[in-house]
Amino acid sequence: MPTRPYVIDEMISAKAIAARIEDLCREIQKEYDGTDKLVVVGLLRGSFVFIADLVRELDLPIEVDFLEASSYGDVMESSREVRILKDLRGAIEGRDVLVVEDIVDTGHTLNHVTHLLESRHPARLKSIALLDKPSRREVDFKASWTGFEIPDEFVVGYGIDYAQRNRNLPYIGKVRFLEG
Ligand code: IMP
């Protein structure tokens, strides 16, 4: 449960997200043209809306798998220690793997996950994040594709939560706490 009263100000509209996904998918399509061994891996839970829209824009023979990494710490601070709570169902050795994340913040989560998946010897390992907050980075990590760079604001919607709420908003909104 969120602890303090807040409102949500729209930051990126559903329409802008859809248009950006179309552009990204044109680039991804080019990268994987001719391959029939692509596995698209969604990081639970925040990427579930993004991956659903992304794969439906891709005209490629793909498989979909999911992985869940833990987030310790309080509800607004990302964890520096990453644990795998749910691993992939399938083997990825020799496969092309595209990891799909909601936000790259400190960078610890995607950094850890990509190292883990590299150790399983995929043919190619790339990543895509809908949002990137470069000013918050603590480890040197850059996703292969990024939807939008945003300032250091706490955001919700389009799969992203605040204390497990607001994942079902169709747009990305900024959390603004009310005084008092
Ligand atoms: P990182 O390991 O610090 O890069 O954190 C990535 C994870 O932190 C994301 O997948 C989100 O779960 C969470 N996170 C980072 N920023 C936000 C935010 O603004 N709103 C909600 N969750 C966030």
Side-chain angles (χ1 to χ4, degrees):
M1 281 282 284
T3 47
R4 295 153 61 197
Y6 64 98
V7 293
I8 297 167
D9 300 325
E10 183 171 303
M11 185 191 247
I12 308 171
S13 70
K15 210 171 150 190
I17 297 170
R20 184 69 185 121
I21 289 177
E22 271 186 33
D23 290 348
L24 288 166
C25 283
R26 269 195 287 273
E27 291 177 32
I28 293 169
Q29 195 103 10
K30 258 189 241 155
E31 175 73 28
Y32 295 107
D33 188 32
T35 183
D36 62 353
K37 53 183 185 181
L38 178 60
V39 189
V40 183
V41 171
L43 294 197
L44 294 172
R45 286 171 259 178
S47 75
F48 80 103
V49 177
F50 183 35
I51 191 174
D53 282 348
L54 196 72
V55 296
R56 284 179 295 172
E57 274 298 322
L58 286 178
D59 185 16
L60 291 169
I62 62 161
E63 289 178 24
V64 175
D65 206 340
F66 291 95
L67 187 145
E68 185 172 11
S70 69
S71 236
Y72 281 127
D74 76 38
V75 289
M76 294 187 76
E77 256 314 300
S78 32
S79 162
R80 275 144 197 90
E81 191 188 344
V82 183
R83 251 188 341 143
I84 302 302
L85 297 180
K86 184 214 165 293
D87 207 337
L88 299 177
R89 288 288 292 272
I92 56 165
E93 185 169 350
R95 308 289 301 264
D96 286 328
V97 177
L98 176 63
V99 181
V100 180
E101 172 67 310
D102 54 356
I103 310 181
V104 186
D105 186 36
T106 62
H108 288 286
T109 305
L110 260 186
N111 193 45
H112 180 92
V113 167
T114 53
H115 277 109
L116 172 75
L117 298 185
E118 279 291 4
S119 73
R120 298 177 186 178
H121 308 294
R124 255 187 304 183
L125 178 63
K126 293 196 172 279
S127 55
I128 180 166
L130 179 68
L131 305 175
D132 188 0
K133 295 189 209 171
S135 64
R136 296 260 308 160
R137 202 68 92 253
E138 292 177 8
V139 290
D140 186 22
F141 183 88
K142 181 115 184 77
S144 318
W145 292 280
T146 297
F148 302 89
E149 280 196 4
I150 60 168
D152 181 11
E153 300 281 1
F154 195 80
V155 295
V156 292
Y158 199 72
I160 301 165
D161 74 301
Y162 170 40
Q164 300 307 326
R165 298 288 175 88
N166 310 121
R167 291 190 196 273
N168 54 327
L169 284 177
Y171 55 86
I172 298 288
K174 174 169 118 179
V175 169
R176 179 161 52 88
F177 289 101
L178 302 170
E179 298 305 319

